[in-house]
Amino acid sequence: MSEPQQTNDANRYDPYATEQVRYEVKDHIATITLDHAPANAFGYAQSRQFVDAFTRADRDDDVRVIILRAEGRIFSGGHDLKESKNPPVIPEGEIPPKELGPKTFPQPTLVSKPVITLVQGWAVGGAFCVVAYSDIVIASPEAKFGVPEVKIGAVGGTGGAAWALPTHVASYLALTGAPIDAERAYQVGFVNEIVPKDKLVEEGERVARLILANPPITVRYIKQSLRDIYPLSRITEPVRINAARNDVALNTEDAREAVAAFVEKRAPVFHGR
């Protein structure tokens, strides 16, 4: 797919110029599909469409379960680093980029309906948080999960890791930037099932039908009860704080060096400043 067009006239920038998130409803199941090759990265346009798709599903009384999936080899590479180097000019009235990020990644837990997320390949950074905040996760054997932002000087998905993983596993991912594979994710309870990649949608729909067989109002109350164990502020507040920490961390000399080294495919040289 082509990138959203940006012109010198800021008012003409349209985050919907290309469809990067598909939305469809069938038999009370809303399927939200990331479709932005090659990495399904969360730039402004995909993030905007992502938030709107979840909002739409949550407001639709015909929708009782949400399935989140992605096209391509991977689920998502997280935040779009290329766009961060050359951000689009956002017209007045649009959600500012600094506000859109914290709205994007907690969406599965912000909606009132169960979210089943299907993961193939990599789900890292902000995409890891999307998975972490989902209700049920089904992965293929090729799936890998991680919060590698430390490697580019960002705080990133630390909050998502802390929410969904045992403390020492979360610390390992956040401090090293190293990923875990589907089997390890299954062992620590991050993933519910591992199925072949070509069976992900079939299995996701099977689980969705199990949920649909139950009283819809009760299902919504159960999701609310599950989330009440950990108040919503336990998610939204760390996301907000991490966004502020990211702003500080990404303005350090080491962070600029880390991004440059990543783009130039070389080892970074850090000086602790």
Side-chain angles (χ1 to χ4, degrees):
M1 285 190 173
S2 60
E3 297 292 336
Q5 295 301 306
Q6 177 184 345
T7 70
N8 292 329
D9 180 0
N11 290 323
R12 294 180 61 191
Y13 173 76
D14 181 9
Y16 290 89
T18 58
E19 186 182 50
Q20 299 186 17
V21 177
R22 301 202 314 269
Y23 179 88
E24 59 183 330
V25 178
K26 182 179 179 182
D27 299 330
H28 305 296
I29 301 170
T31 300
I32 298 173
T33 304
L34 305 180
D35 190 5
H36 181 39
N40 291 319
F42 281 94
Y44 190 88
Q46 177 162 293
S47 296
R48 189 73 170 84
Q49 293 177 32
F50 184 82
V51 170
D52 285 357
F54 269 91
T55 301
R56 182 178 175 185
D58 202 35
R59 292 176 177 174
D60 187 346
D61 291 337
D62 187 50
V63 172
R64 291 165 51 190
V65 181
I66 300 169
I67 291 178
L68 174 63
R69 60 177 298 273
E71 290 287 352
R73 293 187 305 106
I74 69 173
F75 179 76
S76 172
H79 184 70
D80 191 337
L81 285 178
K82 291 181 180 178
E83 184 174 283
S84 67
K85 296 287 287 183
N86 184 29
V89 179
I90 306 303
E92 187 176 350
E94 268 290 333
I95 301 173
K98 288 184 179 180
E99 294 181 16
L100 182 58
K103 290 177 182 290
T104 303
F105 305 126
Q107 278 300 311
T109 200
L110 296 178
V111 297
S112 62
K113 300 165 186 181
V115 178
I116 303 168
T117 296
L118 314 179
V119 183
Q120 80 283 10
W122 291 85
V124 295
F128 171 91
C129 292
V130 169
V131 178
Y133 296 137
S134 300
D135 297 293
I136 296 170
V137 180
I138 304 171
S140 73
E142 301 84 6
K144 287 185 171 56
F145 305 91
V147 283
E149 290 94 331
V150 66
K151 294 180 178 294
I152 58 163
V155 176
T158 301
W163 161 268
L165 291 168
T167 301
H168 294 153
V169 179
S171 297
Y172 177 84
L173 264 65
L175 294 172
T176 67
I180 57 175
D181 62 17
E183 182 59 34
R184 178 61 173 152
Y186 176 77
Q187 291 171 356
V188 298
F190 187 74
V191 165
N192 294 90
E193 299 178 49
I194 300 175
V195 300
K197 181 179 177 181
D198 61 356
K199 298 293 185 182
L200 277 174
V201 172
E202 178 183 329
E203 182 62 11
E205 291 177 348
R206 185 191 72 82
V207 175
R209 287 192 294 272
L210 291 177
I211 296 172
L212 290 173
N214 299 316
I217 294 176
T218 305
V219 167
R220 295 179 72 166
Y221 277 135
I222 287 173
K223 173 158 182 174
Q224 183 178 338
S225 294
L226 289 168
R227 288 298 179 253
D228 283 347
I229 297 171
Y230 301 111
L232 196 56
S233 60
R234 187 170 182 252
I235 297 175
T236 56
E237 189 62 11
V239 169
R240 184 189 66 79
I241 293 171
N242 275 356
R245 287 173 178 153
N246 267 331
D247 286 344
V248 175
L250 288 171
N251 280 309
T252 63
E253 181 181 312
D254 279 351
R256 290 191 289 272
E257 163 64 8
V259 173
F262 177 84
V263 173
E264 296 166 14
K265 298 181 179 179
R266 61 172 173 81
V269 179
F270 298 129
H271 299 287
R273 56 179 182 265

